[in-house]
Structure formats: structure tokens, C-alpha cells
Amino acid sequence: MQAKPTALKVLDIASILVLAISTYLALFFAPTELVMGAVQRVFYFHIGTAWVGLLGFILAAGSGIIYLITKDMKWDRFEVAAVEVSTVFFFLTIVLGSIWARPAWNTWWTWDPRLTTAAITELIYIAYFMLRQGIDDPERRARFGAVYTLLGGVSAPVTFMVIRLFRSIHPVVIGAANANQEKMSMTPDMRVAFFFALFAFTVIFIDLIWHRLRLGNMEEKVEQLKLKVSM
Amino acid sequence: MKRSSPSLLKATLAIVQKDLAAEFRSRELISAMLVFSLLVILIFNFALELDIKVRQSVTAGVLWTTFAFAGTLGLNRSMSVEKDRGCIDGLLLAPVDRSAIYFGKAISNLAFMLIVEAIVLPVYSMLYNVNLFRLDLLGVILLGSIGYTAVGTLLSAMAVQTRTRDVLLPILLFPIAVPVLLASVKASNGLLAGAEFAEVLTPLNILIVYDIVFIAVAFMVFDFVVEE
Amino acid sequence: MEPTPDTSVYMIAGFAISFITMGIYVASLYIRNNNILRDIETLESMQTDKPKATKK
């Protein structure tokens, strides 16, 4: 097996480093938020994971389109890697948001547009893996996967728009949520932690996608070897 | 000898005709959807205790849930029939544009859904003493059904080609169809509550946008779903 | 002004879940990686065995 490239090793170490720094900034460097208390510190990770989750979704839809045009399996492997890593991070976003919401809004969950869209997006990701699992032919699996990420990519923004409209009849929830967000004006130190978290999760995201991509390449190799052996 | 392939419109209509003719002979699809819809309404009646007060606020939701469930049933059936009898291979071999197959299947699916809705609506009106026969409401139902079948036809063509095909369609379809269902419920709810037409204009616009966007996307990617 | 509420339990839970989830994912990558390496090894040894078998 080809050895791990040096760049990836460097990236591994960098990921651990930025995660540690980001944790330090979130836990100790940023001041405690006065209204919500310590729990507000999960916000930095919440935003970081949400950002890479969305980024992964867009990248997946993009590579789905490229796959459909070029029919090059490497784009399919990239798409799977992006969706898988994003699913993990998006799951974290939702859980962290929920943990934050409990003390801040006094509920684990509200059917606010952002939360609902996040949940539906996560369900689309899960449906994507169930679709792929049901198909044996790798080429068809890639085609269907690409079509589904494309549909999901078109549908998610529309969902957000509709729910925003739909929920506007219940101004209490939304009003309360917005008021809370309005109150949370960031101090410069908070801003440092905020932007560093975005940066840190981007680095971690690239690192994980790279690893998942290598795994996909090896899976491909196994398939080819199996074919050779059975012939 | 040069044989020109039939035009897109002609081929589409031929497929619709084939589906409708087969359905009118066997009636298995529509009858299944219909009985299922009535059962769903019956279950909602007990589950939600649809007395007059509750009814006003949930009618739109109950109707659209029923249509969505019955719709998946029909979509699944209409595609797996093609697959099982090998019709889809025949269609693919025929010298017609692939998009004719998509439009043909989508239109016949839409027709089945509309027929079921056309029977469910008067029954619901009668059972719960609300008048659902209003032109504006029918328009919303038409737009919603178009969007739902546009995506549903594409996804059911994908679902029947997988191992887990019977359970997969709703899982694939519902998260993608959330906007169309929500906008339909929102618009229907507004109309039933006696809102001005201008008030439901936004969900109506979203419905129209969803329909156009998803018909266009499905039309473009359908080739990839059926190619061998 | 209201005193800042003590919500540090939630904060600890949040960070703990973040690290646990990421840890599980990294572990799953590692396990899958090892399984695949083993598969490749087995398949490659099968491949080198095969020509001998057919020669006989």
C-alpha cells in the first residue's frame, strides 16, 4: 500500500493542534457570555461544525454534477467522502444546538427554520446512504448517488425558505430566538475564538475528507483485486 | 431506410395512453390508493378526534398527509409494474427520447393521483361537512400534486432499481418533498381559513417555483437514472 | 441585572459529545482502514497463489 503522504501527516498534526487551540480559545480565552452563561461556549464548535457541514453538502452536490458529466469514479469517491464527513459534523451541529437551546430557550428543540432545515438535511444525508446501500453495481450506485445529492442540494434551500414563511405565524418562538441572538453581541475576544473555530474545523474537515478519500481509493482497489482473483 | 423517431409529445402521449388503458382494465392501482386514502382519513379521525374545532385547523394537514401517503403507494406500484414486466427495458429500447418516458410516467402518475384526490375530496367534504370544492383550493392541490409527482416519478425510477425498493421510496422522497408539502399545506390552510387570495400568494409562488425547478432538474437527470 | 446562570454542566456535556463523536468517527475510519488493508493482503496472496494452482 502506498505510504501516507507527508502532506497528510502534516495535516493530521495540524488538525489536532488547531482543535486543541480552538478548544482552548472557546473554553478559556473567550469571555463568559453574561445572559446565557458558560453554555454559550459550545457556540464556537456549533458554528464550526455547521459551516463544514454545509460546505460538505455543497461540495457533494458539485462533485455529483461533475461525476454525471465526466463519469469519472474519483468524483463519486469524493462525493461519498464529503457526505460522510458532513453527516458526522452536521449531527454534531444539531446535538450542540440542542444542548445550547435547553438552558437558553428552555427547550431541547424548537421548530425554528434553521433547526428544522438542519434536521431535514441530515435526513437527506441518511437517505443518501440507504440508497447507496441498496445498489450493488458501483457505476449505478455512483449515478444514483450523484442524482440524489443534486436533488437534495436544490431542495434544502427551498425548504429553508418555506419553513421561514410557515413559522412566521408563530412569532413567539421566532421572536424569542431572535431576541436571544440579538443580545449575543460578540466582544473582540469572542470574535477571535469564533473565526478560529471556523478555520480549525475547515482544517479538520479537509483532513478527514482526505482520509476518507484514501479509504475509498483502497475500497476501489479491493474491488479490482476481487475481480482479478475471481477471473 | 430512415425511420424518424416520433416526436417527444407523441411518444409521451403514447406512454400516458398505455398506462391509463392498462389501469382502466385492471383498476388495481387506483383502487389500492383509494382504499388506502380512506383508511388513512379514518385513522386520522380517531387519532385526532376530528371534532369541529380541531377540524378547522387540521383539514389541510390531514388531506396532504393522505395524498402524500397514497401518492407514494401509487408511485411505487406504477414503477415496479414497469420493472417487473420488463416494460421499462422495452421502453428504453424503443426509438424514443428518454425524457418522453419521464414525462409519460409523470403525467400518468399525476393522473392517478388526481383521480384519487377527485374521489377523496367529496368524501371528506361529506364526512366532515366542509366544502372543499373551491376553484382556488383545487388549483393549490393541482400545483402540489404536480410537484410531488415530478420528484416522485424520478425517485421511484431510482428506488425500483435497488434491493430495498419497497421501503426506499418514502425515505428518499419525503425529505426532498418537504417544501412542496409544506407550501401546499400552508396555502390550503390559508384558503380554508378564509384568507384573502393575496395572503396565500407567497406559498403559491413557492409551489410554482418548486414545480418548475424540479420538473427541469428531473427532466435533465432522468437519463442518468434509466441508462444501462 | 440578572446574575449569569450557571450552565457549565451543559457546556461540559457539549464539549464531551463533540470529542466523543469525532473520536468515534476517527476510530471508524481507522478500523475500516485496517480491514481493507487486510482484505488487500489476502487478495494479493490469493493472486500470487493462483498461477501456481493453474499450472499444476
Side-chain angles (χ1 to χ4, degrees):
Chain A
M1 202 60 241
Q2 79 262 42
K4 211 169 167 181
T6 328
L8 186 56
K9 274 184 206 160
V10 173
L11 200 61
D12 281 349
I13 296 165
S15 305
I16 296 170
L17 218 64
V18 287
L19 182 63
I21 297 173
S22 184
T23 312
Y24 167 78
L25 287 178
L27 284 180
F28 305 108
F29 181 76
T32 306
E33 216 273 342
L34 288 176
V35 184
M36 284 173 278
V39 73
Q40 185 268 340
R41 292 175 190 279
V42 303
F43 157 78
Y44 306 107
F45 275 31
H46 175 70
I47 274 307
T49 51
W51 147 246
V52 290
L54 281 181
L55 184 67
F57 208 15
I58 295 164
L59 287 178
S63 55
I65 294 171
I66 299 174
Y67 171 77
L68 288 178
I69 295 167
T70 62
K71 290 289 160 75
D72 186 344
M73 283 304 262
K74 109 182 150 209
W75 290 104
D76 176 57
R77 293 196 290 271
F78 183 75
E79 177 196 293
V80 177
V83 174
E84 194 180 288
V85 177
S86 296
T87 310
V88 174
F89 280 125
F90 227 64
F91 167 76
L92 262 184
T93 309
I94 294 172
V95 172
L96 286 180
S98 194
I99 287 173
W100 184 17
R102 180 74 187 111
W105 302 339
N106 216 1
T107 169
W108 291 107
W109 188 264
T110 70
W111 291 101
D112 150 276
R114 250 167 283 192
L115 272 69
T116 314
T117 315
I120 290 168
T121 310
E122 185 75 5
L123 284 172
I124 293 178
Y125 283 142
I126 294 169
Y128 170 84
F129 284 111
M130 294 183 78
L131 171 68
R132 288 184 74 97
Q133 227 151 39
I135 309 169
D136 294 321
D137 175 23
E139 193 263 338
R140 177 184 289 168
R141 197 191 303 144
R143 254 190 293 127
F144 285 16
V147 168
Y148 198 66
T149 46
L150 182 60
L151 285 181
V154 178
S155 166
V158 187
T159 307
F160 183 73
M161 262 161 48
V162 182
I163 302 175
R164 193 138 121 178
L165 193 96
F166 200 49
R167 294 293 152 191
S168 63
I169 2 171
H170 307 292
V172 196
V173 180
I174 282 238
N178 283 344
N180 253 340
Q181 275 153 0
E182 230 84 75
K183 265 186 235 165
M184 214 194 68
S185 49
M186 285 195 281
T187 67
D189 281 356
M190 282 177 170
R191 223 161 269 158
V192 169
F194 171 80
F195 284 113
F196 194 83
L198 287 186
F199 167 71
F201 277 97
T202 313
V203 172
I204 299 166
F205 179 70
I206 295 168
D207 184 55
L208 286 177
I209 282 200
W210 195 336
H211 278 287
R212 183 62 184 84
L213 211 52
R214 277 166 56 86
L215 197 67
N217 289 340
M218 286 201 290
E219 275 165 0
E220 175 79 9
K221 201 183 162 192
V222 169
E223 293 293 318
Q224 280 170 2
L225 276 174
K226 269 185 191 160
L227 263 177
K228 260 191 210 161
V229 168
S230 64
M231 266 200 300
Chain B
M1 194 177 79
K2 232 171 108 183
R3 205 178 55 178
S4 63
S5 56
S7 73
L8 181 68
L9 187 69
K10 251 188 186 162
T12 309
L13 287 178
I15 292 169
V16 176
Q17 208 176 19
K18 165 197 88 78
D19 273 7
L20 291 182
E23 182 55 32
F24 283 126
R25 214 168 302 130
S26 69
R27 295 194 195 85
E28 54 184 15
L29 208 152
I30 289 182
S31 52
M33 283 168 83
L34 196 61
V35 174
F36 181 78
S37 311
L38 296 177
L39 287 172
V40 171
I41 289 177
L42 194 77
I43 290 173
F44 269 126
N45 179 47
F46 296 124
L48 299 178
E49 308 234 355
L50 292 175
D51 54 39
I52 296 178
K53 256 196 216 153
V54 181
R55 217 181 290 154
Q56 277 174 346
S57 56
V58 299
T59 295
V62 168
L63 277 177
W64 278 103
T65 316
T66 311
F67 294 158
F69 286 172
T72 15
L73 206 68
L75 287 166
N76 225 339
R77 181 77 193 142
S78 120
M79 251 335 157
S80 34
V81 164
E82 299 281 351
K83 182 81 182 162
D84 291 344
R85 296 187 190 148
C87 296
I88 208 136
D89 301 322
L91 281 176
L92 291 176
L93 287 174
V96 294
D97 199 331
R98 294 282 160 83
S99 29
I101 301 176
Y102 170 72
F103 283 126
K105 288 309 286 181
I107 291 172
S108 40
N109 283 334
L110 178 65
F112 297 150
M113 209 166 152
L114 290 179
I115 292 170
V116 170
E117 286 164 355
I119 304 172
V120 168
L121 283 178
V123 173
Y124 193 96
S125 307
M126 212 178 67
L127 287 177
Y128 295 108
N129 197 23
V130 275
N131 184 18
L132 297 175
F133 275 87
R134 295 166 43 180
L135 211 57
D136 43 5
L137 188 65
L138 294 180
V140 170
I141 291 175
L142 178 67
L143 283 177
S145 307
I146 290 176
Y148 193 73
T149 42
V151 194
T153 306
L154 176 71
L155 289 175
S156 67
M158 267 160 63
V160 292
Q161 296 180 62
T162 63
R163 257 184 288 121
T164 44
R165 61 187 200 179
D166 291 327
V167 290
L168 202 57
L169 179 63
I171 292 172
L172 293 179
L173 177 56
F174 287 162
I176 304 282
V178 163
V180 77
L181 292 177
L182 276 180
S184 304
V185 169
K186 166 87 173 146
S188 318
N189 232 342
L191 289 175
L192 286 173
E196 294 285 315
F197 190 70
E199 282 176 53
V200 297
L201 212 57
T202 334
L204 265 182
N205 283 338
I206 288 180
L207 267 181
I208 294 169
V209 168
Y210 184 97
D211 285 1
I212 293 171
V213 167
F214 274 88
I215 289 172
V217 171
F219 164 72
M220 283 189 288
V221 298
F222 189 72
D223 258 10
F224 298 113
V225 168
V226 291
E227 86 186 14
E228 281 306 317
Chain C
M1 194 181 149
E2 275 181 59
T4 306
D6 180 27
T7 49
S8 45
V9 180
Y10 291 104
M11 178 195 78
I12 293 165
F15 278 94
I17 288 172
S18 306
F19 287 116
I20 291 169
T21 310
M22 284 190 270
I24 290 174
Y25 185 64
V26 170
S28 97
L29 278 179
Y30 181 76
I31 292 168
R32 280 187 282 176
N33 196 25
N34 278 359
N35 287 346
I36 281 188
L37 282 179
R38 218 175 30 230
D39 282 0
I40 288 178
E41 233 169 71
T42 325
L43 285 167
E44 269 171 352
S45 67
M46 275 166 80
Q47 213 185 352
T48 47
D49 285 351
K50 217 184 167 188
K52 283 178 208 161
T54 44
K55 262 178 207 165
K56 266 189 181 177

mmCIF file of all heavy atoms in Angstrom, chain A residues 33-51:
data_model
loop_
_atom_site.group_PDB
_atom_site.id
_atom_site.type_symbol
_atom_site.label_atom_id
_atom_site.label_comp_id
_atom_site.label_asym_id
_atom_site.label_seq_id
_atom_site.Cartn_x
_atom_site.Cartn_y
_atom_site.Cartn_z
ATOM 1 N N GLU A 33 -20.309 34.531 28.396
ATOM 2 C CA GLU A 33 -21.442 35.328 27.946
ATOM 3 C C GLU A 33 -22.335 35.599 29.161
ATOM 4 O O GLU A 33 -22.615 34.697 29.948
ATOM 5 C CB GLU A 33 -22.185 34.543 26.855
ATOM 6 C CG GLU A 33 -22.749 35.402 25.766
ATOM 7 C CD GLU A 33 -24.119 35.901 26.099
ATOM 8 O OE1 GLU A 33 -24.754 35.323 26.993
ATOM 9 O OE2 GLU A 33 -24.538 36.878 25.471
ATOM 10 N N LEU A 34 -22.812 36.836 29.299
ATOM 11 C CA LEU A 34 -23.476 37.208 30.552
ATOM 12 C C LEU A 34 -24.895 36.663 30.672
ATOM 13 O O LEU A 34 -25.336 36.297 31.748
ATOM 14 C CB LEU A 34 -23.492 38.741 30.687
ATOM 15 C CG LEU A 34 -22.116 39.337 31.007
ATOM 16 C CD1 LEU A 34 -22.181 40.841 31.030
ATOM 17 C CD2 LEU A 34 -21.588 38.783 32.333
ATOM 18 N N VAL A 35 -25.603 36.614 29.557
ATOM 19 C CA VAL A 35 -27.010 36.212 29.643
ATOM 20 C C VAL A 35 -27.146 34.703 29.757
ATOM 21 O O VAL A 35 -27.951 34.185 30.521
ATOM 22 C CB VAL A 35 -27.797 36.731 28.424
ATOM 23 C CG1 VAL A 35 -29.271 36.395 28.574
ATOM 24 C CG2 VAL A 35 -27.585 38.217 28.264
ATOM 25 N N MET A 36 -26.353 33.974 28.952
ATOM 26 C CA MET A 36 -26.561 32.531 28.879
ATOM 27 C C MET A 36 -25.553 31.742 29.702
ATOM 28 O O MET A 36 -25.719 30.543 29.903
ATOM 29 C CB MET A 36 -26.490 32.074 27.430
ATOM 30 C CG MET A 36 -27.740 32.420 26.684
ATOM 31 S SD MET A 36 -27.556 32.070 24.944
ATOM 32 C CE MET A 36 -26.707 33.515 24.399
ATOM 33 N N GLY A 37 -24.492 32.374 30.115
ATOM 34 C CA GLY A 37 -23.518 31.667 30.927
ATOM 35 C C GLY A 37 -22.588 30.797 30.105
ATOM 36 O O GLY A 37 -22.436 30.986 28.897
ATOM 37 N N ALA A 38 -22.010 29.796 30.777
ATOM 38 C CA ALA A 38 -20.938 29.002 30.192
ATOM 39 C C ALA A 38 -21.362 28.251 28.940
ATOM 40 O O ALA A 38 -20.547 28.002 28.060
ATOM 41 C CB ALA A 38 -20.407 28.014 31.223
ATOM 42 N N VAL A 39 -22.639 27.868 28.872
ATOM 43 C CA VAL A 39 -23.073 27.020 27.771
ATOM 44 C C VAL A 39 -22.850 27.691 26.420
ATOM 45 O O VAL A 39 -22.683 27.038 25.398
ATOM 46 C CB VAL A 39 -24.546 26.611 27.935
ATOM 47 C CG1 VAL A 39 -25.466 27.774 27.643
ATOM 48 C CG2 VAL A 39 -24.879 25.441 27.042
ATOM 49 N N GLN A 40 -22.783 29.019 26.443
ATOM 50 C CA GLN A 40 -22.599 29.733 25.186
ATOM 51 C C GLN A 40 -21.280 29.339 24.526
ATOM 52 O O GLN A 40 -21.107 29.490 23.320
ATOM 53 C CB GLN A 40 -22.661 31.242 25.444
ATOM 54 C CG GLN A 40 -22.615 32.119 24.225
ATOM 55 C CD GLN A 40 -21.202 32.521 23.899
ATOM 56 O OE1 GLN A 40 -20.323 32.472 24.746
ATOM 57 N NE2 GLN A 40 -20.994 32.912 22.651
ATOM 58 N N ARG A 41 -20.350 28.779 25.297
ATOM 59 C CA ARG A 41 -19.053 28.395 24.728
ATOM 60 C C ARG A 41 -19.158 27.276 23.687
ATOM 61 O O ARG A 41 -18.252 27.110 22.876
ATOM 62 C CB ARG A 41 -18.100 27.974 25.842
ATOM 63 C CG ARG A 41 -17.704 29.138 26.744
ATOM 64 C CD ARG A 41 -16.857 28.660 27.901
ATOM 65 N NE ARG A 41 -16.678 29.712 28.889
ATOM 66 C CZ ARG A 41 -15.779 30.681 28.766
ATOM 67 N NH1 ARG A 41 -14.999 30.722 27.744
ATOM 68 N NH2 ARG A 41 -15.686 31.611 29.700
ATOM 69 N N VAL A 42 -20.238 26.493 23.717
ATOM 70 C CA VAL A 42 -20.364 25.468 22.674
ATOM 71 C C VAL A 42 -20.675 26.110 21.326
ATOM 72 O O VAL A 42 -20.545 25.483 20.283
ATOM 73 C CB VAL A 42 -21.447 24.390 22.971
ATOM 74 C CG1 VAL A 42 -21.190 23.695 24.277
ATOM 75 C CG2 VAL A 42 -22.833 24.978 22.928
ATOM 76 N N PHE A 43 -21.070 27.360 21.361
ATOM 77 C CA PHE A 43 -21.408 28.094 20.148
ATOM 78 C C PHE A 43 -20.294 28.028 19.108
ATOM 79 O O PHE A 43 -20.540 27.870 17.917
ATOM 80 C CB PHE A 43 -21.731 29.541 20.539
ATOM 81 C CG PHE A 43 -21.588 30.550 19.448
ATOM 82 C CD1 PHE A 43 -22.563 30.687 18.481
ATOM 83 C CD2 PHE A 43 -20.486 31.392 19.406
ATOM 84 C CE1 PHE A 43 -22.438 31.623 17.481
ATOM 85 C CE2 PHE A 43 -20.362 32.338 18.400
ATOM 86 C CZ PHE A 43 -21.333 32.446 17.440
ATOM 87 N N TYR A 44 -19.021 28.109 19.590
ATOM 88 C CA TYR A 44 -17.907 28.140 18.649
ATOM 89 C C TYR A 44 -17.806 26.839 17.869
ATOM 90 O O TYR A 44 -17.571 26.834 16.667
ATOM 91 C CB TYR A 44 -16.608 28.439 19.392
ATOM 92 C CG TYR A 44 -16.706 29.709 20.211
ATOM 93 C CD1 TYR A 44 -16.801 29.664 21.596
ATOM 94 C CD2 TYR A 44 -16.783 30.941 19.570
ATOM 95 C CE1 TYR A 44 -16.946 30.817 22.331
ATOM 96 C CE2 TYR A 44 -16.914 32.103 20.301
ATOM 97 C CZ TYR A 44 -17.003 32.039 21.688
ATOM 98 O OH TYR A 44 -17.157 33.174 22.398
ATOM 99 N N PHE A 45 -17.993 25.722 18.582
ATOM 100 C CA PHE A 45 -17.967 24.427 17.896
ATOM 101 C C PHE A 45 -19.216 24.251 17.046
ATOM 102 O O PHE A 45 -19.180 23.677 15.964
ATOM 103 C CB PHE A 45 -17.869 23.278 18.915
ATOM 104 C CG PHE A 45 -16.465 22.968 19.332
ATOM 105 C CD1 PHE A 45 -15.505 23.964 19.367
ATOM 106 C CD2 PHE A 45 -16.102 21.677 19.676
ATOM 107 C CE1 PHE A 45 -14.204 23.684 19.744
ATOM 108 C CE2 PHE A 45 -14.804 21.389 20.056
ATOM 109 C CZ PHE A 45 -13.859 22.392 20.097
ATOM 110 N N HIS A 46 -20.327 24.763 17.571
ATOM 111 C CA HIS A 46 -21.610 24.657 16.872
ATOM 112 C C HIS A 46 -21.506 25.313 15.497
ATOM 113 O O HIS A 46 -21.869 24.739 14.474
ATOM 114 C CB HIS A 46 -22.674 25.343 17.730
ATOM 115 C CG HIS A 46 -24.025 25.424 17.118
ATOM 116 N ND1 HIS A 46 -24.818 24.322 16.927
ATOM 117 C CD2 HIS A 46 -24.748 26.469 16.656
ATOM 118 C CE1 HIS A 46 -25.956 24.688 16.380
ATOM 119 N NE2 HIS A 46 -25.945 25.978 16.188
ATOM 120 N N ILE A 47 -20.966 26.525 15.484
ATOM 121 C CA ILE A 47 -20.814 27.268 14.236
ATOM 122 C C ILE A 47 -19.793 26.583 13.324
ATOM 123 O O ILE A 47 -19.995 26.436 12.124
ATOM 124 C CB ILE A 47 -20.396 28.726 14.564
ATOM 125 C CG1 ILE A 47 -21.611 29.595 14.839
ATOM 126 C CG2 ILE A 47 -19.528 29.317 13.509
ATOM 127 C CD1 ILE A 47 -22.681 29.589 13.816
ATOM 128 N N GLY A 48 -18.695 26.126 13.922
ATOM 129 C CA GLY A 48 -17.653 25.477 13.128
ATOM 130 C C GLY A 48 -18.169 24.235 12.425
ATOM 131 O O GLY A 48 -17.964 24.062 11.217
ATOM 132 N N THR A 49 -18.878 23.366 13.170
ATOM 133 C CA THR A 49 -19.371 22.141 12.560
ATOM 134 C C THR A 49 -20.462 22.443 11.536
ATOM 135 O O THR A 49 -20.530 21.796 10.491
ATOM 136 C CB THR A 49 -19.934 21.182 13.624
ATOM 137 O OG1 THR A 49 -20.849 21.903 14.440
ATOM 138 C CG2 THR A 49 -18.834 20.605 14.485
ATOM 139 N N ALA A 50 -21.299 23.451 11.840
ATOM 140 C CA ALA A 50 -22.370 23.797 10.887
ATOM 141 C C ALA A 50 -21.760 24.261 9.569
ATOM 142 O O ALA A 50 -22.203 23.874 8.490
ATOM 143 C CB ALA A 50 -23.254 24.891 11.460
ATOM 144 N N TRP A 51 -20.719 25.060 9.665
ATOM 145 C CA TRP A 51 -20.073 25.601 8.456
ATOM 146 C C TRP A 51 -19.517 24.477 7.598
ATOM 147 O O TRP A 51 -19.777 24.416 6.393
ATOM 148 C CB TRP A 51 -19.018 26.625 8.873
ATOM 149 C CG TRP A 51 -17.806 26.717 7.989
ATOM 150 C CD1 TRP A 51 -16.538 26.394 8.336
ATOM 151 C CD2 TRP A 51 -17.749 27.182 6.640
ATOM 152 N NE1 TRP A 51 -15.692 26.611 7.294
ATOM 153 C CE2 TRP A 51 -16.405 27.100 6.231
ATOM 154 C CE3 TRP A 51 -18.694 27.650 5.731
ATOM 155 C CZ2 TRP A 51 -15.973 27.468 4.962
ATOM 156 C CZ3 TRP A 51 -18.274 28.008 4.460
ATOM 157 C CH2 TRP A 51 -16.931 27.922 4.091
#
